Amino acid sequence: MRILVGRGWWRGRAITAWVSGAACRMLPWPLPALSRGAAAHSGALERRYSSAERKEKVDMSRFPFENISNFSIVAHVDHSKSTLADRLLELTGTIGSQYFLHLIDTPGHVDFSYEVSRSLSACQGVLLVVDANEGIQAQTVANFFLTFEAQLSAIPVINKIDLKNADPKRVEKQIEKVFDIPSDECIKISAKLGTNIESVLQAIIERIPPPKVHRKNPLRALVFDSTFDQYRGVITNVALFDGVVSKGDRVVSAHTQKTYEVNEVGVLNPNELPTHKLYAGQVGYLIAGMKDVTEAQVGDTLYLHKQPVEPLPGFKSAKPMVFAGMYPVDQSEYNSLKSAIEKLTLNDSSVTVHRDSSLALGAGWRLGFLGLLHMEVFNQRLEQEYNASVILTTPTVPYKAVLSSAKLIKEYREKEITIINPAQFPDKSKVTEYLEPVVLGTVITPDEYTGKIMMLCQARRAIQKNMVFIDQNRVMLKYLFPLNEIVVDFYDSLKSLSSGYASFDYEDAGYQTAELVKMDILLNGNIVEELVTIVHKDKAHSVGKAICERLKDSLPRQLFEIAIQAAIGSKIIARETVKAYRKNVLAKCYGGDITRKMKLLKRQAEGKKKMRKIGNVEVPKDAFIKVLKTQSDK
């Protein structure tokens, strides 16, 4: 992220924080004490702390770790997280003491909880922002428990108290009941108007503890993010837990055991600001000649050459939850699309890429994403930044199969295999059981919609785990969902049923045994690999019927009849027919024996039968787009 310190610069750029990864910003608080409200002082503050104009290197040894606070702002989508950050930037410089604050950005969407966990690894506390109008949302609950798992201090902040329908007292009670945080600890603010923002800054200093570090110990730096610069290579974001690092040091990656020479260290102020050294307790960046972001493994530990240390407890690498095929609309654009995907993945290592091919769609890729929004953002960036037009197949989830024989285990080199492409789903005779991914979902809704939402969840094979009334009007439901039941359109259905008031969040809950089947789609007996689907046995008929109906509406009519079938193995479970164009061969028969008419009709039937055998049904690409689009509610 590139933002100048000062009014209005944060808000327009904040949206890019979760696309490119977590970004840290240094808030120096302050060197001179400035009076708020004076335009001259505001301009002086911007000039003083803008890394775009500052040339000299900062001496980071001036900041003792007791005066360092590393924190994040976590909130639901559209709860003014960026506006609050904007206000905090404006107010740095209003207190006379010297403190060093690092604000580490977090995304607000359910798909990016992994990004939140990465940011929290470098923090000692968070601002937990709740909307005074909407109250606690599901994402707020998830962020709080991420904070709890990371053992961080949480400061509840009730925002938007200036709105007409704001009810801070109700939200205080919700926070107290759901999170067990006393209501008198809540800070009521309006980020838009700047009301009570000073209390937030004061709370950061008082309530968030300084990092527990040892500057005299050998270097231990945690890698929590990285970006790629075509001129300087990989820029690694690090949090120092022990020791000191400076330009010229030789550091070693605990993950790869490769050695690198440090070319530059610094902090983000919020642009890159080189410093002489980085000390334990501080968060900054490090450039060491890495050529690929895969070398900067998230969760890795960097240490000084010849001073090996015990690696810091890292965290799980990004696990794709959704897979989709991506193909160029025109195969002549393959190389340009390949180049665009490579450039985007340089700064988004959570996207996995595997080459793939299709008889109908040509050469392409099988991509893995953190969620549907992640997939949509990636696709949108391809279109906007590289003018690329692609065909994206229906998203699927990663299934597992436990192999049944020693011969198969030897062939696959493992007993449990993961399937990301439905066309490669193994036959039931080869496995002892299938496993599907499940998630623990949290729905928070006004109680008037509870019945409809419970019916929706049951229709998606969900198992209810908990139900809590967080106040007189709002209910929190917890369900165990099969991931494939919510990955496509569950969120849209939930919003539709609740008039937009319900919120939804989920977290990975492993795998469970399921009766899964591979459903083939056939055109005149030939399997269309692009439409192969993995479904639960109980839903196979309804899903197969829906696909056949959409395909019937999308396929152009031919001179011969087209049979569209959904099949599980050799059993046909659904069928639709595209009628053939028919010529009236009896048009010129004005009389005569009936046998002449029968002969003409028989000859026409034989010709169509022969044509059907040798005719090739070509599925146009626009038909694939119509069939593979988001399915209606099952």
Side-chain angles (χ1 to χ4, degrees):
M1 178 150 333
R2 300 287 181 268
I3 313 123
L4 294 174
V5 176
R7 297 178 184 271
W9 284 87
W10 183 289
R11 189 176 300 115
R13 302 291 186 115
I15 196 171
T16 63
W18 46 263
V19 174
S20 61
C24 62
R25 294 133 183 128
M26 181 183 75
L27 303 181
W29 184 15
L31 296 180
L34 300 179
S35 299
R36 290 179 293 112
H41 288 171
S42 176
L45 176 65
E46 182 168 337
R47 289 193 299 273
R48 185 67 183 259
Y49 299 118
S50 170
S51 60
E53 298 179 11
R54 194 165 188 164
K55 301 299 182 183
E56 74 277 9
K57 291 187 177 181
V58 178
D59 181 7
M60 302 301 292
S61 64
R62 293 183 299 127
F63 299 95
F65 69 87
E66 295 88 351
N67 285 7
I68 294 175
S69 293
N70 301 314
F71 70 100
S72 289
I73 302 175
V74 294
H76 190 70
V77 179
D78 294 331
H79 279 198
S80 298
K81 174 164 58 74
S82 298
T83 309
L84 175 57
D86 208 358
R87 293 298 184 186
L88 293 177
L89 283 171
E90 290 178 353
L91 285 177
T92 54
T94 60
I95 307 293
S97 304
Q98 286 191 4
Y99 289 94
F100 195 78
L101 309 183
H102 282 105
L103 167 56
I104 304 177
D105 194 25
T106 65
H109 193 274
V110 56
D111 283 359
F112 299 97
S113 57
Y114 171 72
E115 303 281 350
V116 177
S117 68
R118 279 168 35 177
S119 297
L120 296 185
S121 67
C123 294
Q124 285 76 52
V126 298
L127 301 179
L128 194 69
V129 180
V130 182
D131 193 315
N133 188 30
E134 297 183 21
I136 292 177
Q137 303 288 296
Q139 185 64 26
T140 311
V141 176
N143 285 333
F144 175 81
F145 286 109
L146 272 172
T147 302
F148 179 76
E149 289 177 4
Q151 297 181 337
L152 305 180
S153 300
I155 302 174
V157 178
I158 301 175
N159 194 8
K160 299 187 180 181
I161 60 172
D162 57 303
L163 295 180
K164 181 180 179 181
N165 297 322
D167 191 351
K169 292 292 184 183
R170 174 177 62 88
V171 177
E172 281 181 353
K173 292 178 181 179
Q174 290 181 5
I175 291 173
E176 192 164 24
K177 181 167 185 177
V178 177
F179 301 142
D180 199 25
I181 298 176
S183 59
D184 57 4
E185 293 186 14
C186 298
I187 303 174
K188 296 184 281 292
I189 70 165
S190 169
K192 180 180 178 181
L193 300 180
T195 306
N196 211 20
I197 302 299
E198 296 90 341
S199 298
V200 177
L201 278 175
Q202 197 65 38
I204 292 170
I205 296 299
E206 294 176 356
R207 300 194 207 175
I208 296 179
K212 297 178 181 179
V213 296
H214 302 88
R215 292 187 174 179
K216 294 183 179 179
N217 288 355
L219 173 69
R220 285 201 304 171
L222 177 69
V223 177
F224 67 92
D225 194 25
S226 64
T227 55
F228 182 80
D229 185 283
Q230 60 178 332
Y231 300 108
R232 297 184 293 169
V234 178
I235 302 173
T236 306
N237 287 352
V238 293
L240 271 65
F241 284 79
D242 291 313
V244 182
V245 64
S246 60
K247 180 179 178 179
D249 287 344
R250 292 172 62 81
V251 296
V252 180
S253 161
H255 177 71
T256 65
Q257 292 299 308
K258 291 183 178 180
T259 303
Y260 306 92
E261 182 175 341
V262 178
N263 300 323
E264 183 182 320
V265 297
V267 291
L268 298 178
N269 185 31
N271 289 343
E272 292 162 8
L273 178 63
T275 64
H276 294 284
K277 296 181 178 181
L278 283 179
Y279 294 84
Q282 296 172 358
V283 177
Y285 71 90
L286 179 150
I287 301 175
M290 296 180 182
K291 304 298 183 184
D292 194 300
V293 287
T294 56
E295 296 181 64
Q297 183 74 34
V298 171
D300 193 9
T301 299
L302 301 180
Y303 59 86
L304 292 177
H305 185 57
K306 296 183 179 179
Q307 290 187 340
V309 296
E310 185 71 22
L312 292 160
F315 37 94
K316 297 177 181 178
S317 58
K319 184 170 69 172
M321 303 288 281
V322 173
F323 292 85
M326 181 175 285
Y327 303 88
V329 173
D330 191 332
Q331 281 296 306
S332 64
E333 300 173 356
Y334 177 85
N335 289 330
S336 60
L337 180 57
K338 178 183 177 183
S339 176
I341 292 174
E342 289 174 349
K343 289 176 181 177
L344 280 184
T345 52
L346 280 176
N347 284 321
D348 192 354
S349 57
S350 54
V351 178
T352 61
V353 183
H354 302 278
R355 292 184 63 182
D356 200 2
S357 62
S358 160
L359 291 175
L361 303 177
W365 301 267
R366 193 85 183 166
L367 303 182
F369 303 95
L370 298 175
L372 270 188
L373 178 66
H374 188 201
M375 181 181 76
E376 291 171 7
V377 168
F378 190 88
N379 187 33
Q380 189 176 35
R381 290 189 67 189
L382 281 176
E383 293 178 355
Q384 293 180 351
E385 297 177 23
Y386 299 96
N387 198 28
S389 182
V390 300
I391 296 174
L392 206 60
T393 66
T394 300
T396 61
V397 300
Y399 296 96
K400 290 185 177 182
V402 181
L403 300 176
S404 59
S405 68
K407 182 179 179 182
L408 289 170
I409 294 173
K410 184 178 180 180
E411 179 184 344
Y412 286 96
R413 298 182 181 178
E414 53 187 343
K415 184 176 181 180
E416 192 176 272
I417 61 172
T418 302
I419 305 104
I420 63 174
N421 189 337
Q424 299 170 355
F425 197 71
D427 188 75
K428 180 64 177 174
S429 61
K430 297 182 179 180
V431 301
T432 55
E433 63 177 350
Y434 296 115
L435 304 172
E436 66 176 349
V438 291
V439 295
L440 183 62
T442 301
V443 179
I444 296 181
T445 177
D447 60 354
E448 61 193 276
Y449 304 108
T450 304
K452 294 179 181 179
I453 290 175
M454 291 178 72
M455 291 178 63
L456 172 66
C457 294
Q458 291 171 5
R460 300 303 180 98
R461 300 192 289 123
I463 300 173
Q464 186 173 338
K465 293 295 184 181
N466 198 8
M467 179 177 177
V468 177
F469 282 85
I470 60 177
D471 62 23
Q472 294 180 348
N473 301 313
R474 292 171 70 81
V475 182
M476 181 169 67
L477 303 165
K478 285 189 177 290
Y479 279 89
L480 192 67
F481 286 93
L483 181 58
N484 71 328
E485 294 287 349
I486 66 170
V487 75
V488 174
D489 60 347
F490 176 80
Y491 189 74
D492 293 338
S493 300
L494 178 70
K495 286 293 184 181
S496 177
L497 286 176
S498 65
S499 302
Y501 288 108
S503 64
F504 178 65
D505 176 53
Y506 64 85
E507 58 183 292
D508 183 23
Y511 281 77
Q512 69 178 11
T513 303
E515 292 187 67
L516 303 174
V517 292
K518 182 174 79 169
M519 185 173 65
D520 297 318
I521 301 298
L522 298 86
L523 297 180
N524 284 348
N526 299 315
I527 296 176
V528 183
E529 287 191 2
E530 295 77 18
L531 298 177
V532 174
T533 309
I534 299 173
V535 295
H536 191 270
K537 186 178 180 180
D538 295 341
K539 290 200 164 187
H541 174 72
S542 59
V543 174
K545 188 173 186 297
I547 293 178
C548 289
E549 288 174 351
R550 287 200 302 274
L551 197 55
K552 178 186 177 182
D553 295 336
S554 303
L555 282 179
R557 293 175 66 186
Q558 308 282 340
L559 292 174
F560 51 90
E561 187 179 90
I562 303 174
I564 306 169
Q565 298 169 311
I568 298 175
S570 58
K571 181 181 179 182
I572 305 299
I573 61 171
R575 172 176 174 140
E576 295 289 337
T577 303
V578 179
K579 297 295 184 181
Y581 284 120
R582 183 171 181 178
K583 181 180 178 180
N584 185 7
V585 294
L586 304 180
K588 296 183 179 181
C589 291
Y590 296 107
D593 196 282
I594 186 66
T595 56
R596 184 184 175 200
K597 295 182 180 180
M598 295 300 297
K599 185 186 294 184
L600 289 171
L601 291 172
K602 184 178 180 182
R603 186 182 303 168
Q604 183 187 47
E606 289 175 350
K608 288 190 176 291
K609 186 177 180 181
K610 182 179 179 181
M611 188 181 293
R612 187 170 182 269
K613 286 183 179 179
I614 64 174
N616 182 29
V617 182
E618 292 187 1
V619 183
K621 290 180 180 178
D622 61 338
F624 273 105
I625 295 172
K626 292 176 184 176
V627 174
L628 296 172
K629 66 182 179 181
T630 303
Q631 299 180 18
S632 58
D633 191 18
K634 296 184 281 292

